[in-house]
Amino acid sequence: HDIGKEGFYIGHSYYYGYDKGGCGSLLPHTIENISVYNNRVTNTGWDGMQVSCAVSGTRIHHNTIDNYGTKNDINQRDGIVIGGGTNALCYNNFVTNGKGTGIICFGLGNSTLYNNIIVNPGVKGMLCDERGESAGQGYRFVNNTIINPPQEGISILTATLPKNVCLNNIIVKPNGDAYLAI
């Protein structure tokens, strides 16, 4: 609680590699079979929680994230970030009162987000998009509740993932033009 940057920063942000001082492209290690659960993250300057390079067996669940992204840095202000190189089950999380999106997903394109409650996000309730090569069939958004998003409740921005699913979600009082953007 009460920290200037991320609450949790698990894994490396650059799954597809990065250049470090002319050494060529460096690839980070991957993580398998990780569970991030039963945590309370309050008053973070940047993202509440980020999990990246977690290629399989990833579970993010039963976390409470409140008052995230207080510095309002456009690239560091989301509640839960499912980062590059990640396939995850993200469920039963309670995300409230942030400057950015409640849950954002840049993973490999095979994540399922269900039974999450997001209240008063600063931008969108949930967002997924393609970053790098998407190896999955699509994202699945099922049984989520999103209350008071200033923009879309759920935004799915994928052109190459064939089977995105958005089913049985409740979106209450979106202030944007749409409940769902695809």
Side-chain angles (χ1 to χ4, degrees):
H1 64 85
D2 301 308
I3 56 173
K5 294 192 178 179
E6 286 99 352
F8 283 84
Y9 190 94
I10 301 167
H12 198 281
S13 292
Y14 296 97
Y15 175 71
Y16 296 101
Y18 62 102
D19 183 25
K20 186 169 181 175
C23 295
S25 184
L26 301 175
L27 295 173
H29 70 282
T30 59
I31 302 169
E32 295 181 9
N33 301 315
I34 183 173
S35 292
V36 183
Y37 63 97
N38 290 338
N39 297 290
R40 181 168 179 83
V41 179
T42 306
N43 301 329
T44 59
W46 287 2
D47 301 325
M49 177 180 294
Q50 177 178 318
V51 179
S52 299
C53 294
V55 295
S56 66
T58 307
R59 288 178 164 47
I60 303 166
H61 61 93
H62 292 92
N63 297 291
T64 298
I65 312 290
D66 182 50
N67 200 31
Y68 54 91
T70 60
K71 290 186 177 178
N72 205 20
D73 180 324
I74 194 166
N75 297 312
Q76 299 283 345
R77 63 180 184 181
D78 303 308
I80 296 175
V81 177
I82 300 170
T86 301
N87 284 318
L89 293 176
C90 181
Y91 58 94
N92 295 343
N93 297 290
F94 186 61
V95 181
T96 61
N97 304 314
K99 297 290 186 189
T101 297
I103 300 176
I104 194 162
C105 197
F106 305 132
L108 291 172
N110 228 6
S111 291
T112 301
L113 294 81
Y114 65 95
N115 295 345
N116 297 289
I117 299 172
I118 300 170
V119 181
N120 299 324
V123 183
K124 301 172 189 288
M126 296 179 152
L127 163 71
C128 71
D129 76 5
E130 300 165 331
R131 302 265 170 118
E133 297 176 27
S134 296
Q137 290 294 306
Y139 295 102
R140 291 162 298 283
F141 298 90
V142 181
N143 296 336
N144 298 290
T145 300
I146 301 165
I147 301 171
N148 295 328
Q151 296 179 14
E152 298 87 15
I154 299 174
S155 185
I156 301 171
L157 305 173
T158 63
T160 62
L161 295 173
K163 297 181 182 177
N164 294 300
V165 174
C166 192
L167 178 67
N168 203 40
N169 298 286
I170 297 171
I171 301 170
V172 179
K173 288 181 65 180
N175 293 322
D177 293 332
Y179 292 90
L180 174 66
I182 299 178

